[in-house]
């Protein structure tokens, strides 16, 4: 996997995370508020990672009429994909 500059960003993962967390104004405002109201010295990447994990879990659990037998596996799959991107984002 190549981790090099992508569209002017540090790498593709950084670009993807930024793209998805800033593409809607309300989501961008949430991220801005989250970071702005956090004490300096706290790792912002970890904070965003925690927020995304909670949002994915809440989103998945509120899908009506879903087939529930695979909930745990699908939640892990979604989180593994997202956490991989977050791990490489700068």
């Amino acid at each position: 996997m190549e981790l090099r500059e992508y569209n002017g960003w540090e790498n593709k993962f950084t670009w993807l995370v930024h793209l998805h967390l800033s593409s809607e104004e309300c989501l961008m405002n949430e991220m801005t508020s989250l970071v702005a109201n956090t004490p300096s010295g706290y790792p912002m990447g970890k904070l965003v990672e925690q927020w995304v994990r909670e949002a994915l879990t809440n989103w998945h659990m509120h899908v009506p009429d879903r087939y529930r037998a695979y909930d745990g596996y699908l939640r892990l799959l979604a989180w593994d994909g997202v956490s991989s991107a977050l791990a490489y984002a700068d």
Side-chain angles (χ1 to χ4, degrees):
M1 177 180 320
E2 292 202 23
L3 296 176
R4 55 182 170 76
E5 187 176 327
Y6 186 85
N7 285 346
W9 290 87
E10 184 71 24
N11 58 49
K12 187 172 186 175
F13 299 104
T14 303
W15 173 76
L16 281 170
V17 169
H18 180 270
L19 173 72
H20 290 288
L21 294 181
S22 67
S23 62
E24 295 292 327
E25 185 177 5
C26 61
L27 183 54
M28 182 183 67
N29 290 338
E30 177 77 19
M31 290 294 103
T32 302
S33 177
L34 180 72
V35 171
N37 293 316
T38 301
S40 62
Y42 191 86
M44 297 301 165
K46 188 69 173 168
L47 181 68
V48 171
E49 180 181 325
Q50 291 169 344
W51 186 94
V52 170
R53 179 187 287 269
E54 183 178 326
L56 278 175
T57 299
N58 291 338
W59 166 77
H60 176 72
M61 298 308 289
H62 289 97
V63 175
D65 301 324
R66 72 184 187 282
Y67 183 64
R68 297 168 189 255
Y70 303 121
D71 277 2
Y73 301 112
L74 293 175
R75 188 170 42 252
L76 284 173
L77 174 63
W79 178 244
D80 283 346
V82 170
S83 65
S84 295
L86 289 169
Y88 288 104
D90 289 332

